[in-house]
Amino acid sequence: MVKFLKPGRVAIVLSGRQAGKKAVIVQNSEVGNKDRPYGHCVVAGVDRAPLRIHKKMSKKQMAFKSRVKPFIKVINHKHLMPTRYNMELGTNFRKMISMLDSKRAQSRKNVKKDFQDRNNAGKTKWFFQKLRF
């Protein structure tokens, strides 16, 4: 079987609170472990996409509307639908995500900063747009 759930692959979450949201696979476990005896992935995704910006807006309004709210979650393979798109994560992206309860809030802040930098730079613009279906 071909392994296509690799880090950097963009997927759509199919169930749960973030159903219908885009996410990128950060870490993959094909066979599972003691806590989760099934194949699962650690994903980072966009919970709330940035809003539209116009030239008339002030700098303060632009900064407010261009915010991204991310989520980090461990998801079963069955609850993900991979897309054909990949996202360049970089070398330090995987290191800044930790699923320990004590470091989870800091991980979310790091992902938020990275996603906002990508959005403001115009990289992977399609990832930060809301899914319409």
Side-chain angles (χ1 to χ4, degrees), residues 5-62:
L5 293 174
K6 295 180 181 176
R9 173 73 65 181
V10 176
I12 298 172
V13 181
L14 298 177
S15 64
R17 186 193 312 179
Q18 277 85 24
K21 306 285 185 186
K22 295 176 193 171
V24 62
I25 297 173
V26 178
Q27 191 176 357
N28 187 22
S29 175
E30 293 288 336
V31 293
N33 55 26
K34 192 175 180 182
D35 296 334
R36 293 182 171 88
Y38 49 84
H40 59 277
C41 299
V42 176
V43 296
V46 178
D47 195 9
R48 187 171 54 233
L51 301 172
R52 291 181 182 236
I53 296 175
H54 306 290
K55 286 185 179 179
K56 294 186 251 181
M57 293 182 181
S58 66
K59 297 273 186 191
K60 186 177 179 183
Q61 283 178 319
M62 285 185 188

Side-chain angles (χ1 to χ4, degrees), residues 89-123:
L89 293 179
T91 56
N92 63 347
F93 192 84
R94 187 174 174 190
K95 293 176 187 173
M96 69 182 175
I97 293 181
S98 175
M99 293 309 294
L100 298 173
D101 290 336
S102 59
K103 297 183 179 180
R104 201 159 183 172
Q106 185 63 39
S107 297
R108 197 176 307 116
K109 287 177 187 174
N110 293 340
V111 171
K112 180 177 181 172
K113 186 178 183 308
D114 188 62
F115 278 179
Q116 284 193 187
D117 291 344
R118 286 173 189 259
N119 181 41
N120 293 340
K123 294 180 183 176

Side-chain angles (χ1 to χ4, degrees), residues 50-85:
L51 301 172
R52 291 181 182 236
I53 296 175
H54 306 290
K55 286 185 179 179
K56 294 186 251 181
M57 293 182 181
S58 66
K59 297 273 186 191
K60 186 177 179 183
Q61 283 178 319
M62 285 185 188
F64 185 79
K65 292 208 175 213
S66 65
R67 291 183 304 168
V68 178
K69 182 181 179 189
F71 66 88
I72 301 171
K73 197 169 185 180
V74 178
I75 299 180
N76 190 336
H77 285 170
K78 294 179 181 178
H79 301 156
L80 284 175
M81 184 173 74
T83 63
R84 64 181 178 172
Y85 300 105

